[in-house]
Amino acid sequence: MNMLSRLLVVACLALPFTACKKEEAPKTEAVAAVPLPTSGEQKDWVPYLQYKLIPHMGGITNSPFVYFLPKNDTEDFGGKYERQLEKLETDLGRGITEGNMLVFASPVPEKEVEMIETAFKQVAPGTMNGVKVVFIGTPILGERVKAAVEPAGVNYIFEEAK
């Protein structure tokens, strides 16, 4: 019992010193660039999307809504496009609230932009304040997306696909 008492006294004396340790600055690791995938498979795009999205996750409270279209030579591309458009229209119709992020990426960004322009026509102006919309594509297409989504009041973020 005497030994246990001594250990408790030592622990009590050491505790203030360990608790007063200065806070260290958070360590930031350099993230290696992830190249743009050449595949049309969504699984091949996951590391690239993570690389592109991590810098924009501040203030996001939920998992991002990711809308991805495969290459247009994929079997049943037309059906996949229609289902993706329907999902986007349904999500927008229910309402996307502050703290959420919508992400658009595709090996066929022109078709993705067409989908965005179609779906965002139904969104009332100013109803998506505090929502981030990230488009990964070319600067010219990025301007089209910006024109389509900004009236909704979103925080639009363009990431060049490279």
Side-chain angles (χ1 to χ4, degrees):
M1 194 68 156
N2 198 7
M3 183 66 153
L4 181 60
S5 298
R6 288 182 187 162
L7 287 174
L8 286 174
V9 169
V10 170
C12 289
L13 291 174
L15 184 63
F17 295 109
T18 58
C20 293
K21 184 179 176 184
K22 287 185 178 180
E23 288 187 31
E24 295 178 12
K27 295 178 182 176
T28 56
E29 294 180 21
V31 178
V34 177
L36 179 67
T38 56
S39 155
E41 297 292 322
Q42 186 171 356
K43 65 179 177 52
D44 296 336
W45 281 68
V46 171
Y48 178 75
L49 293 176
Q50 290 172 339
Y51 165 71
K52 288 289 194 175
L53 297 179
I54 286 175
H56 306 296
M57 292 301 292
I60 300 302
T61 56
N62 297 310
S63 294
F65 293 80
V66 179
Y67 302 92
F68 177 85
L69 287 173
K71 286 186 175 182
N72 50 3
D73 61 357
T74 303
E75 184 179 333
D76 191 33
F77 177 79
K80 290 178 182 182
Y81 172 82
E82 290 301 322
R83 288 187 293 279
Q84 193 73 232
L85 174 59
E86 183 179 323
K87 180 182 180 334
L88 177 57
E89 288 176 333
T90 300
D91 292 344
L92 293 173
R94 278 193 306 232
I96 307 288
T97 59
E98 184 175 345
N100 283 288
M101 177 187 280
L102 306 177
V103 180
F104 299 94
S106 175
V108 285
E110 300 83 8
K111 199 68 174 167
E112 190 91 358
V113 171
E114 179 184 309
M115 182 180 74
I116 295 166
E117 291 171 332
T118 301
F120 269 84
K121 287 178 184 174
Q122 73 175 356
V123 179
T127 57
M128 293 178 63
N129 293 325
V131 175
K132 291 182 182 180
V133 171
V134 180
F135 173 72
I136 301 171
T138 64
I140 292 171
L141 293 175
E143 288 302 314
R144 283 179 51 194
V145 172
K146 181 178 181 178
V149 303
E150 277 196 334
V154 302
N155 175 8
Y156 175 66
I157 300 166
F158 169 74
E159 278 286 338
E160 188 168 3
K162 55 180 180 175

